[in-house]
Structure formats: C-alpha cells, structure tokens
Amino acid sequence: CVILYLFLACVLAVTNGERGSDGPAPPVMAGHTVIFFDSDSEFPAVRGFVAWVVHSLGLRMTAVASSNFKQGMADLVTSGLRAVVMGQRRGDPWADELDLFSPSTDGWPAFMRINPIIDWSYSHVWLFLRAFGLPYCSMYDEGFTSIGSISDTVKNPALLRADGSYAPAFELRDATTERAGRSSRRDKGAAKQPTQGAAAAVDEPSPVFARTVSASPCLRA
C-alpha cells in the first residue's frame, strides 16, 4: 500500500499544480488502473483490504493469476503497459541487484520495473504509514510482518508476547527478522517468480500513470 499512497501523492501534486488554487479539486485516483497479483491461497484479509482500497479510490483493478504470472504480464505488455511501479526493497529476496529503474529479467515480457522505495528500510515503511495515519491490512496488527500466501505465512515469532499474544508489526525491533514468519522454501525458490516482474507489493499495490497505459504501481496490502 505504500507505493499506492506515494503514487496518489504524486498525482495529487501534479493535478493541483495544473488546476491552480481556484480550480475544482479533481477525483485524484478515479479511473486509474491497478494490478493485483492474485493467488488461490490469498488471505481473506488481504483480499478485503485490496477490495476496500479499489472501491474507496474508484480504481480499476486488473488481476493477474500467480499461477500464470508470466503470461499475465505478457498480456498487459501487449495491451500497452510499459512500466510497473513496485514496492520492492533491498531486503526482499532477489532484490539486491535491483536499482530505481530495472528492466524486466531476460526471457520475460519487456517492461521497466520502477522501485521508488528500493532503499527504504523496514522502519521507514512503518514510520511513513503511522506518521500520516494511513490505512494498511489488519494482519499487520496481528503479528504478521511479511505476508505471502496462506501456505507459507505465519505470525512472526519475534513478536510473540509472554502472554501468548502477538505485538503489531511496527513494534518489531530487529528488521532482519522481518521475514521470520515466511517459510524457507518460499525464500529460497517460490518467491523468485513474483520478483521477476511484479511488486513485491505490496508492498505494494499498479495504477496507470496519467491515465495512459505506461506506468503502473502494483496493489498489495
């Protein structure tokens, strides 16, 4: 969701500059397209949050099935997509060699991956969300710090309290344990496919910039 909020802020700044101080306030995100990388094992809370964001902002959503991710991206590129704004950070699997602008991997449909928060830390993400009071998926208040699919995600043991409850994600002290609730199989192999060409949203959540099929941030909780 961080990427979507940053994208919204940029659109708002541009539209405010274009209309001037006396013009009517435009519907900032209405009509923009976001890409959601869907899965049969998606958490209901993630689906609910995504649906709420899409409805609240008047977005159009294109769902790409994770089981056919490469073909889904090929279809989007054929339709005119040229860039995807993603929420990957250095600590994510296979993200060490990414830059702010990184072409898609060889053998994949050709598009530009834009990574505006590639150098953000875990604490940067939570400082941003909490400082501005921005909504996020409720699972992060229940002890989850990195959300994948139902089959490979559990609450982070580093957040387990003495009474058996879990602290919220923003209370995690050691950022190196961010993915402690994700299975090692996912980290070693299964996570590689989304990294080839999509968000990590999530983080986040791909509107088509300026209503053209050119750049799209990816929607994620």
Side-chain angles (χ1 to χ4, degrees):
C1 56
V2 170
I3 293 302
L4 187 65
Y5 295 143
L6 292 173
F7 185 83
L8 187 153
C10 291
V11 172
L12 183 62
V14 170
T15 53
N16 280 347
E18 290 177 347
R19 71 183 176 88
S21 58
D22 297 327
V28 178
M29 294 298 292
H32 286 284
T33 301
V34 294
I35 303 170
F36 177 54
F37 299 101
D38 202 359
S39 167
D40 291 338
S41 58
E42 198 71 70
F43 282 97
V46 172
R47 290 184 182 277
F49 178 74
V50 169
W52 176 81
V53 170
V54 169
H55 175 75
S56 298
L57 297 178
L59 302 169
R60 294 194 304 258
M61 187 179 81
T62 296
V64 176
S66 60
S67 60
N68 198 13
F69 177 75
K70 190 173 183 178
Q71 183 57 52
M73 291 306 299
D75 292 342
L76 290 172
V77 169
T78 299
S79 298
L81 183 139
R82 295 294 175 265
V84 178
V85 185
M86 309 192 310
Q88 289 177 283
R89 295 181 289 114
R90 297 284 179 206
D92 295 333
W94 295 279
D96 291 345
E97 296 182 2
L98 294 180
D99 209 336
L100 287 173
F101 295 90
S102 295
S104 54
T105 306
D106 290 344
W108 282 69
F111 60 91
M112 182 62 68
R113 293 175 290 183
I114 305 172
N115 307 295
I117 64 170
I118 189 66
D119 291 316
W120 281 32
S121 67
Y122 180 84
S123 60
H124 287 150
V125 170
W126 283 108
L127 178 62
F128 172 75
L129 291 173
R130 286 170 54 77
F132 291 101
L134 299 170
Y136 52 84
C137 181
S138 61
M139 291 178 66
Y140 291 112
D141 285 336
E142 300 169 0
F144 294 91
T145 55
S146 178
I147 303 174
S149 65
I150 292 175
S151 61
D152 66 18
T153 305
V154 296
K155 296 179 180 181
N156 193 324
L159 292 175
L160 181 63
R161 293 168 169 155
D163 64 0
S165 64
Y166 284 82
F170 59 80
E171 291 188 13
L172 185 68
R173 294 183 178 276
D174 182 2
T176 64
T177 64
E178 176 185 354
R179 296 180 62 85
R182 301 287 290 278
S183 71
S184 59
R185 182 186 68 82
R186 174 77 173 183
D187 290 341
K188 292 179 180 178
K192 187 171 184 178
Q193 186 185 42
T195 307
Q196 299 292 331
V202 125
D203 281 302
E204 303 104 66
S206 278
V208 177
F209 194 74
R211 302 195 182 210
T212 64
V213 188
S214 57
S216 303
C218 301
L219 189 54
R220 187 65 185 170

